[in-house]
């Protein structure tokens, strides 16, 4: 409440100052000159023009002040952020934040949805960059990236879920970064119960840089590498084996829908569809009865292409051959993990273009609900 009052008070003072400046400019007493009709610009005109021309500069400066007052991005490394319940730990490079599962982040079974967990991962990643003092005017972009017109894009993500947190549960979410090859960055997460320390989920991801103008992948500039490398940690949340090759699905897939389209609310600060939205589209094809009985325990996503607001998207899914079953026999698979392959692609007049390929693993839901119905 106090911070909101301070922000309002600062904005009021800036607006009042601007009003005084404009009022002052309008009341200036200009000297009188004889204006000759020879076609030349009079001194009065020149003075008035120069006076009026200062107004846009005043407004521009006020806009910058307002933005800084509202956002207040740190320019130096911060170790504690009381507003976000966050702190920098482990030799000053790892980020830890306390989060609470809200009512709008759970599904009918009162456990956090997959999309909610992925959104928490994304938010803590951005908060990590925020506290580092490296955040420029972009979606997680550093100052060096802004100068080189670069942005981050995720190329691969894996999430393993041991158990789903319930509504109202307080969680401890850690995130850190490391190198991935010559031009990429790895980001990992670990989600625990704040009360017991039990691990709910682990995740790892690979990020690369894209030029915002050409929309092509870019090498990591030396100045960006110098910004990021002091934050790199060797530890991995998920020890990855050799990634299995995901097959490409086609229209013969068992499940599919072709009527998906992004809304304005699906776009992020980089003006493309947020990667979490893709997961929701991917799961749209899963049968209702299956989703009622099974819960996801592992997901691997390989991102291939951006998706814009004008694209029509097709979502396809296919169970593995050894898991193929009729809906009536789902109950016989109790205790067995079921795997699916997924594909999102844009539907074009000439050809379709892949957005993301995915692999999901599912297990039987617990027989008891976390809360009585």
């Amino acid at each position: 409440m106090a911070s909101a009052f301070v922000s309002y008070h600062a904005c009021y003072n800036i607006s009042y100052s601007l009003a005084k400046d404009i009022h002052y400019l309008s009341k200036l007493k200009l000297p009188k000159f004889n204006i000759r009709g020879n076609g030349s610009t009079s001194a009065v005109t020149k003075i008035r023009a120069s006076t009026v021309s200062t107004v846009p500069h005043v407004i521009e400066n006020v806009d910058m002040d307002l933005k800084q007052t509202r956002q207040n991005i740190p320019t130096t490394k911060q170790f504690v952020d009381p507003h976000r319940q966050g702190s920098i730990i482990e030799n000053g490079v790892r980020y830890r934040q306390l989060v609470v599962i809200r009512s709008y982040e759970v599904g009918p079974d009162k456990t956090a949805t997959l999309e909610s967990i992925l959104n928490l991962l994304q938010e803590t990643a951005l908060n990590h960059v925020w506290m580092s003092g490296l955040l420029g005017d972009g979606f997680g972009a550093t100052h060096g990236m802004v100068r080189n017109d670069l942005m981050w894009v995720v190329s691969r993500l894996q999430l393993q879920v041991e158990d789903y947190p319930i509504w109202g549960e307080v969680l401890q979410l850690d995130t850190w970064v490391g190198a991935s090859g010559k031009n990429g960055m790895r980001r990992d997460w670990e989600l625990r119960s704040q009360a017991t320390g039990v691990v709910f989920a682990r995740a790892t991801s690979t990020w690369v840089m894209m030029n915002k103008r050409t929309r092509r992948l870019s090498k990591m500039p030396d100045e960006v590498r110098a910004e990021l490398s002091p934050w790199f940690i060797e530890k991995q949340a998920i020890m990855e084996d050799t990634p299995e090759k995901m097959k490409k699905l086609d229209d013969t897939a068992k499940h599919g829908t072709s009527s998906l389209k992004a809304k304005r609310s699906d776009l992020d600060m980089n003006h493309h569809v947020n990667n979490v939205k893709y997961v929701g589209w991917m799961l749209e094809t899963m049968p209702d009865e299956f989703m009622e009985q099974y819960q996801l325990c592992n997901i691997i996503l390989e991102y291939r292409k951006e998706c814009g607001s004008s694209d029509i998207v097709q979502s396809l899914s296919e169970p593995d051959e050894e898991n193929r079953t009729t809906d009536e026999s789902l109950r016989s698979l109790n205790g067995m993990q079921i795997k699916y392959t997924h594909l999102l692609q844009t539907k074009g007049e000439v050809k379709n273009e892949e957005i993301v390929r995915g692999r999901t693993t599912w297990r039987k839901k617990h027989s008891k609900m976390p809360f009585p119905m």
Side-chain angles (χ1 to χ4, degrees), residues 95-128:
Y95 179 70
R96 173 171 293 171
Q97 182 173 333
L98 292 183
V99 296
V100 181
I101 299 301
R102 312 294 183 181
S103 60
Y104 50 81
E105 295 173 327
V106 301
D109 60 356
K110 298 185 177 69
T111 64
T113 64
L114 179 64
E115 291 93 331
S116 294
I117 293 176
L118 291 171
N119 278 323
L120 286 175
L121 302 186
Q122 183 168 270
E123 179 67 12
T124 51
L126 290 171
N127 290 343
H128 187 195

Side-chain angles (χ1 to χ4, degrees), residues 19-30 51-52 55:
K20 287 200 304 180
D21 290 340
I22 295 176
H23 179 73
Y24 168 76
L25 293 172
S26 66
K27 296 296 184 181
L28 278 178
K29 298 293 185 180
L30 299 177
T51 302
V52 174
V55 175

Side-chain angles (χ1 to χ4, degrees), residues 320-373:
D320 282 10
E321 198 67 37
E322 61 268 25
N323 297 333
R324 281 184 178 274
T325 176
T326 62
D327 292 340
E328 290 76 18
S329 64
L330 280 175
R331 293 178 180 83
S332 67
L333 296 173
N334 189 20
M336 176 182 176
Q337 290 188 341
I338 299 178
K339 294 188 176 183
Y340 270 77
T341 299
H342 305 265
L343 175 67
L344 289 181
Q345 61 183 3
T346 57
K347 296 290 289 181
E349 295 182 1
V350 179
K351 68 173 183 177
N352 301 332
E353 293 188 276
E354 292 183 65
I355 302 172
V356 58
R357 292 187 189 186
R359 287 280 287 168
T360 55
T361 305
W362 304 77
R363 61 167 177 254
K364 194 78 172 179
K365 283 187 177 180
H366 300 307
S367 58
K368 292 183 179 180
M369 301 290 285
F371 287 102
M373 296 299 288

Side-chain angles (χ1 to χ4, degrees), residues 163-206:
D163 203 358
Y164 284 81
I166 61 178
W167 171 39
E169 195 148 25
V170 182
L171 309 173
Q172 177 182 291
L173 183 50
D174 286 12
T175 185
W176 62 95
V177 293
S180 177
K182 292 182 178 180
N183 295 299
M185 184 181 76
R186 192 192 73 251
R187 178 172 285 280
D188 292 52
W189 296 267
E190 197 170 71
L191 184 64
R192 295 177 177 269
S193 164
Q194 193 263 348
T196 66
V198 172
V199 175
F200 284 113
R202 294 182 176 90
T204 187
S205 59
T206 305

Side-chain angles (χ1 to χ4, degrees), residues 276-292:
V276 176
K277 182 63 181 181
Y278 295 150
V279 176
W281 284 345
M282 191 174 288
L283 301 185
E284 278 290 316
T285 61
M286 303 298 287
D288 290 340
E289 185 178 352
F290 180 87
M291 296 293 284
E292 290 171 1

Side-chain angles (χ1 to χ4, degrees), residues 212-268:
K212 294 172 71 173
R213 290 179 291 100
T214 65
R215 316 306 280 187
R216 293 181 179 274
L217 297 184
S218 171
K219 292 183 178 180
M220 185 182 293
D222 290 339
E223 67 170 316
V224 176
R225 194 184 311 277
E227 289 176 318
L228 297 175
S229 57
W231 294 85
F232 287 169
I233 301 176
E234 293 296 329
K235 179 180 178 180
Q236 296 184 1
I238 299 175
M239 298 305 296
E240 297 178 282
D241 299 323
T242 303
E244 63 174 312
K245 186 175 181 179
M246 298 185 192
K247 68 177 182 179
K248 181 180 179 181
L249 301 180
D250 55 30
D251 289 336
T252 62
K254 186 174 182 180
H255 307 293
T257 180
S258 301
S259 57
L260 302 170
K261 192 175 187 298
K263 303 187 292 292
R264 285 192 297 270
S265 59
D266 297 326
L267 304 181
D268 61 24

